[in-house]
């Protein structure tokens, strides 16, 4: 239902700040992993919380669109920032889902068979993987691999993939959250009622500029 009041600059900035906190909350979400899937622990929290956050942001965006917002430059600026954040988060979570699907597929091979050698090669964790593990961590990994029915080397591979995926969604959520906060501050700090938009790259919302830079880098 449409509202009669046009959101003021403080209200617009508040909406962007609230969205930033909601996105950042994905990174603290927890979801228990069974022993047989412990290698997925780094990504299960974001994977479980992400769709709920996207739904919340989508509902808030619809509320924002219900206001007579496009009449003001500040409203257009906030709308562009919000829409960019929602699109970026949706794509990042889709990529996380695809990665987790691939990890689950990979985790089925090889399976630790009775009598199979469960030892790691001496340099396996140092040269084949991006993440270095201490002796204590390797002992825990061997125990976790046994509980998951996997060879330790295979377990480290899928755990490393999971850690990489967790790092990627963390980077995305932090960039989205920080961009929303920067845009909120810009709306509040403008001395006049006319927030600059459309007169050059520097006037665009932070997330829009970031997305354009990414497109240029991959183009």
């Amino acid at each position: 239902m449409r509202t009669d009041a046009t959101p003021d600059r403080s209200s617009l900035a508040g909406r962007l700040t609230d969205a930033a906190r909601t996105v950042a909350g994905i990174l603290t979400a927890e979801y228990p992993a069974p022993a047989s899937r412990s290698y997925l622990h780094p990504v299960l929290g974001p994977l479980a919380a992400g769709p709920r956050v996207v739904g919340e942001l989508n509902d808030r965006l619809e509320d924002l669109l219900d206001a007579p917002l496009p009449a003001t430059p500040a409203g257009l600026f906030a709308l562009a920032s919000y829409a960019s954040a929602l699109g970026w988060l949706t794509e990042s979570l889709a990529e996380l889902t695809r990665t987790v699907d691939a990890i689950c597929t990979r985790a089925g091979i090889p399976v630790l068979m009775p009598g199979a050698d469960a030892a790691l090669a001496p340099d396996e964790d140092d040269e084949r993987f991006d993440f270095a593990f201490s002796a204590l961590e390797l002992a825990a990994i061997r125990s976790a691999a046994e509980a998951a029915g996997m060879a330790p080397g295979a377990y480290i591979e899928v755990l490393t993939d999971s850690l990489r995926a967790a790092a990627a969604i963390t980077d995305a959520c932090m960039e989205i959250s920080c961009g929303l906060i920067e845009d909120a501050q810009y709306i509040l700090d403008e001395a006049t009622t006319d927030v600059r938009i459309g007169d050059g790259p520097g006037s665009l919302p932070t997330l829009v500029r970031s997305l354009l830079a990414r497109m240029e880098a991959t183009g």
Side-chain angles (χ1 to χ4, degrees):
M1 183 170 61
R2 294 184 64 87
T3 59
D4 294 331
T6 300
D8 59 21
R9 294 154 66 87
S10 178
S11 174
L12 291 170
R15 294 188 190 204
L16 294 183
T17 301
D18 287 344
R21 293 190 185 119
T22 301
V23 172
I26 292 174
L27 303 180
T28 59
E30 291 286 343
Y31 194 89
S36 60
R37 296 291 182 268
S38 58
Y39 48 84
L40 291 176
H41 181 264
V43 294
L44 287 184
L47 194 66
R52 173 183 54 78
V53 171
V54 167
E56 289 181 8
L57 294 184
N58 187 66
D59 289 342
R60 295 181 192 178
L61 180 60
E62 291 181 358
D63 290 341
L64 203 57
L65 289 170
D66 279 341
L69 194 114
T72 66
L76 285 171
F77 189 93
L79 184 60
S81 177
Y82 211 111
S84 298
L86 180 58
W88 191 336
L89 180 61
T90 300
E91 178 54 35
S92 297
L93 289 170
E95 178 60 31
L96 176 64
T97 301
R98 289 191 291 269
T99 301
V100 172
D101 284 343
I103 291 172
C104 290
T105 298
R106 186 178 185 182
I109 303 172
V111 176
L112 181 63
M113 301 300 292
D117 184 5
L120 288 173
D123 61 349
E124 185 175 68
D125 59 301
D126 292 328
E127 295 187 0
R128 290 184 56 195
F129 307 105
D130 294 340
F131 297 90
F133 300 101
S134 68
L136 278 176
E137 288 170 333
L138 285 174
I141 284 171
R142 288 187 174 93
S143 296
E146 183 177 359
M150 300 176 67
Y155 185 91
I156 288 181
E157 288 181 358
V158 291
L159 177 61
T160 300
D161 287 344
S162 188
L163 290 169
R164 288 196 190 106
I169 193 63
T170 295
D171 288 345
C173 287
M174 289 301 298
E175 193 162 359
I176 293 168
S177 181
C178 290
L180 285 165
I181 290 174
E182 287 180 22
D183 290 344
Q185 194 61 50
Y186 175 75
I187 290 175
L188 288 176
D189 287 346
E190 275 299 288
T192 67
T193 57
D194 291 331
V195 173
R196 291 174 290 109
I197 187 167
D199 58 351
S203 69
L204 295 173
T206 302
L207 294 178
V208 175
R209 285 186 275 118
S210 296
L211 287 171
L212 289 174
R214 285 170 176 264
M215 291 172 63
E216 290 178 1
T218 58

